[in-house]
Amino acid sequence: MQRGSDRLSVHRDEEMKHELQGLLRSGHPTRTEEWHDPEPSAEDDPQVAGGPVTPGTSASLAAVRLELARILGRGAFPASPRELMGELRRGYAPDALVESLERLPRSTRYTNVQQLAEDLTGGHHAHRISDRP
């Protein structure tokens, strides 16, 4: 049995096209009921419109730390930059974020996300665990 559009769905399709025309032309919601509109972003929401958060751009320490923590989690530490790069790749992190770890000294071991984010953004440097004596 073949299913096709019945008379009711054709009318609903036309109705939906008409509803969307205002939105597409104006670039903002045109409904009168506020509950239909998406919630505006808050001041403390992370910046996602500019692309992925990566060190070396205008990303703040907090934004880099949040992105690293989201992908790495606690179980990734302590670890060297090389080990963390593998974890970031497995977590499908943006290439620019993974590549930023290549600039870090290989002998350094990070015990948490805060230390890693500080070194990536040039923030305050806390004591790191080194493999060297």
Side-chain angles (χ1 to χ4, degrees), residues 61 114-115 118-119 121-126 128:
L61 171 65
Q114 179 69 28
Q115 291 174 347
E118 286 172 353
D119 277 3
T121 60
H124 173 71
H125 294 284
R128 310 283 183 260

Side-chain angles (χ1 to χ4, degrees), residues 44-95:
D44 60 346
D45 283 350
Q47 294 294 326
V48 293
V53 173
T54 56
T57 61
S58 61
S60 68
L61 171 65
V64 171
R65 183 181 62 229
L66 178 68
E67 184 69 4
L68 288 168
R70 183 183 67 78
I71 298 168
L72 292 173
R74 292 181 183 168
F77 296 95
S80 68
R82 184 176 206 91
E83 294 166 328
L84 292 169
M85 286 171 63
E87 287 291 322
L88 287 171
R89 283 192 182 101
R90 283 187 286 282
Y92 302 104
D95 289 339

